[in-house]
Amino acid sequence: LYKRPENLELQLDAIDEQTLKPKEILLYQDGTSDTIKIPEHLKERFNLIEINPVNVGVWGRFNFAIKVSYEYICVFDDDTIPGKSWLESCHSEMLKEEGLYGTIGIILDENAREYPPNGCFRIGWDGNLDKTVQVDFVGHSWFFKKNWLNYLFEGTEELQKLKVAGEDIGFSFKLQQKGIKTFVPPHPPEN
């Protein structure tokens, strides 16, 4: 949760309706003004809630994810509502080929020197996708193995100072250095 508490109940309902049920649900709220509150009636739906009093930026939620007790983690932006088989799709694709799976993927032009470059394109939630596609990096939702979080924080201190960006590119880049690819799983039109 960052600045969109109005989406939280929609996210939780979508997670409850997943065909592959999560074993625990954690909520991280980065430092925001006192006007953005977790609705009281939703607090009981979480196994753990952490509210950071200062805004540490987009990297903070990944640092918080270390507290997950299980092998696989899925992190959602506060504006991402997963389809009912999102976790199942990511998990089944992970069993076929280990990798970082995400909601929306970016493929960069090979001559790009900055992002967003001319010639990059998006793959994922804003269009149907009938197969898994390898991409350069993903955002909005990340499905991965917990132990890969260690790679995200290796030598990325300077990037983390950006606060508002870079975790998506940084995560894929660090995993690629370890031979782990980044993918967008199928987004079938009926789901």
Side-chain angles (χ1 to χ4, degrees):
L1 175 66
Y2 181 51
K3 291 186 175 182
R4 298 179 184 97
E6 67 276 6
N7 290 342
L8 190 55
E9 191 160 15
L10 291 171
Q11 280 185 315
L12 284 169
D13 290 346
I15 290 168
D16 284 346
E17 293 172 7
Q18 291 294 301
T19 55
L20 177 64
K21 304 290 185 201
K23 295 192 187 229
E24 59 185 2
I25 302 173
L26 286 65
L27 176 67
Y28 178 76
Q29 183 176 21
D30 205 1
T32 58
S33 70
D34 287 338
T35 61
I36 298 175
K37 302 263 187 214
I38 301 164
E40 285 298 321
H41 72 283
L42 298 180
K43 288 182 178 181
E44 66 191 31
R45 294 175 71 177
F46 295 98
N47 297 87
L48 179 65
I49 295 174
E50 184 173 308
I51 301 170
N52 197 328
V54 296
N55 182 354
V56 297
V58 294
W59 294 75
R61 60 196 161 157
F62 288 91
N63 194 37
F64 172 69
I66 295 275
K67 297 179 180 185
V68 168
S69 304
Y70 298 94
E71 179 180 12
Y72 297 105
I73 296 173
C74 190
V75 173
F76 294 103
D77 279 352
D78 67 355
D79 63 350
T80 302
I81 312 298
K84 68 181 177 188
S85 60
W86 177 248
L87 295 177
E88 180 181 5
S89 178
C90 290
H91 185 255
S92 66
E93 293 301 310
M94 175 76 82
L95 295 177
K96 294 175 194 172
E97 183 169 4
E98 286 191 347
L100 173 62
Y101 288 85
T103 309
I104 190 90
I106 302 295
I107 297 177
L108 299 170
D109 179 278
E110 64 183 47
N111 299 315
R113 297 270 183 239
E114 60 185 48
Y115 176 76
N118 292 329
C120 79
F121 59 97
R122 294 164 45 123
I123 302 234
W125 77 8
D126 55 352
N128 296 324
L129 187 61
D130 61 357
K131 63 182 179 183
T132 295
V133 176
Q134 184 178 343
V135 296
D136 291 307
F137 65 95
V138 291
H140 296 280
S141 171
W142 300 260
F143 184 91
F144 55 93
K145 285 189 157 188
K146 177 183 175 175
N147 62 341
W148 296 348
L149 282 171
N150 297 324
Y151 304 145
L152 174 60
F153 294 103
E154 286 179 359
T156 57
E157 294 80 10
E158 289 298 314
L159 293 174
Q160 293 172 49
K161 291 177 185 175
L162 296 172
K163 265 190 164 179
V164 297
E167 84 291 7
D168 47 8
I169 296 170
F171 201 9
S172 289
F173 175 67
K174 296 308 279 186
L175 292 178
Q176 288 170 17
Q177 289 179 322
K178 305 291 183 184
I180 302 166
K181 298 174 185 174
T182 300
F183 302 98
V184 174
H187 287 56
E190 70 278 0
N191 185 7

